[in-house]
Amino acid sequence: MTKDIEIIHSPLTQTYSDAGHRLSIQIYRGPGSAWILEVVDEHGASTVWDDTFDTDAAALEAACLAIEQEGVAGFVTQARQTAKAAEPESLRKLEALKQSPPLDQKYNMMIGPLSEEELDELDQFLLYLDNVESMTVDMLDGFLHAIAIGPETVMPSQWLPLVWGQQEGGGTMPPADTLEQVNHFLCLVMRHYNSIVFGFGQKPPFVELLWTTTEYDDLGEFEDAEMWAYGFCQGVKLNPSAWQPLLDDAKGAGWFRPIGLLGKENFSPDQDELTRTPAQRQALATQIEDSVRQIHTFWLPLRQAVAERQQAQRMSSKVGRNEPCPCGSGKKFKKCCGSPLALH
């Protein structure tokens, strides 16, 4: 009887969701062998890298780079085309080599929310980094919410350096003493991000915002969302021009107002007057959850339209300009996604 191959699954295994598509980034290896990278889309189509990787962190970076270059919708399309062309026997052999963890374990590895202990552990790690610009957990939560619900896809390679207090374009890996620590804390951050994305994918969306409370002598305890709001504003700063239509919209500006009052300097002339007392700041904090829900709804059509247009433009070499647009609008390609005009 042949002995089953032991498969070691990396803690960096995770999901990436955007514009209605979900990709499962799976990183695994056999004992003593290099890491294998596989990305599976929501239809079950699998893309396995020919090259192996010395570290699971390197495999994750390769996956993020490929998704960033192709776009989520394009990656899904390419994976399905490749899967259709593959021999069924090859796919069966690939499945036979894999031993997936149980569903509940896979959920916890990829999108399960962090426990209180894990949040405290991550908070302590960030606090004691040798960099005054590194984030706290409440700042990180606001930052990741802005990225998750904003107008465009921001890849981890763009925002992870800011978490560790580095400049944009810096290293994506946390500055830890050992590779095990690097993987562990990177996994905690990505799991927290994935859980936020997963929450907004529910109907209705599930929103849970993390910030602290502060005790004031003779006044009592009040919610303190200033660092959360500052983190959200840092997420907006990744591409302020993309966010401008929300701020130019009367309702959008109203939704952003409590976040801006708490998280931005020189936000408005009446800022100091409206944020002077702990009670005033707590009152603004209570408005933020509804604001986040509304901002998510505001940007959702744009995110979906961008994904559709990217997919259609990748197919442009195969679609005649007078043929029906592949996005399904019923218009000719040249009048729809093939047009340089605004998104439909």
Side-chain angles (χ1 to χ4, degrees), residues 312-332:
Q313 288 178 338
R314 288 187 186 93
M315 299 173 64
S316 61
S317 61
K318 303 176 183 178
V319 180
R321 289 187 51 76
N322 290 311
E323 295 180 15
C325 185
C327 77
S329 66
K331 301 178 182 178
K332 292 182 179 180

Side-chain angles (χ1 to χ4, degrees), residues 122-333:
L122 179 58
D123 196 28
Q124 290 300 308
F125 174 76
L126 293 171
L127 283 172
Y128 287 100
L129 284 179
D130 189 21
N131 194 327
V132 295
E133 300 296 329
S134 61
M135 296 187 177
T136 57
V137 160
D138 48 352
M139 188 193 307
L140 173 67
D141 190 70
F143 182 64
L144 294 182
H145 271 84
I147 293 169
I149 68 174
E152 61 180 9
T153 300
V154 184
M155 297 302 294
S157 59
Q158 296 173 258
W159 56 259
L160 273 171
L162 303 180
V163 175
W164 322 125
Q166 302 175 24
Q167 295 296 319
E168 188 176 355
T172 59
M173 299 297 112
D177 295 331
T178 67
L179 181 60
E180 182 179 2
Q181 289 179 327
V182 168
N183 289 342
H184 177 63
F185 289 108
L186 180 61
C187 180
L188 291 182
V189 171
M190 294 306 302
R191 261 183 58 201
H192 190 54
Y193 172 70
N194 287 333
S195 68
I196 293 171
V197 173
F198 181 80
F200 281 106
Q202 306 308 298
K203 295 183 179 180
F206 174 75
V207 180
E208 184 176 17
L209 311 179
L210 302 178
W211 53 64
T212 61
T213 58
T214 302
E215 184 79 26
Y216 293 88
D217 294 339
D218 302 326
L219 292 176
E221 190 175 57
F222 293 85
E223 293 186 35
D224 185 354
E226 289 184 87
M227 296 306 294
W228 188 98
Y230 176 77
F232 191 97
C233 293
Q234 292 300 107
V236 172
K237 281 179 62 177
L238 289 173
N239 193 342
S241 61
W243 280 82
Q244 196 58 45
L246 174 81
L247 304 179
D248 291 339
D249 181 90
K251 289 184 178 179
W255 299 328
F256 186 77
R257 183 171 172 78
I259 300 173
L261 285 169
L262 291 175
K264 292 190 69 174
E265 294 185 7
N266 303 316
F267 178 72
S268 67
D270 57 353
Q271 184 174 14
D272 289 342
E273 180 183 348
L274 296 175
T275 59
R276 182 173 295 114
T277 69
Q280 288 175 308
R281 295 193 293 273
Q282 177 173 270
L284 290 170
T286 61
Q287 302 174 38
I288 290 179
E289 180 176 329
D290 181 65
S291 292
V292 168
R293 292 179 183 273
Q294 298 290 355
I295 292 171
H296 168 256
T297 301
F298 180 89
W299 288 124
L300 191 59
L302 175 62
R303 292 174 70 99
Q304 293 173 335
V306 167
E308 290 173 0
R309 182 164 191 167
Q310 288 174 341
Q311 181 176 0
Q313 288 178 338
R314 288 187 186 93
M315 299 173 64
S316 61
S317 61
K318 303 176 183 178
V319 180
R321 289 187 51 76
N322 290 311
E323 295 180 15
C325 185
C327 77
S329 66
K331 301 178 182 178
K332 292 182 179 180
F333 181 71

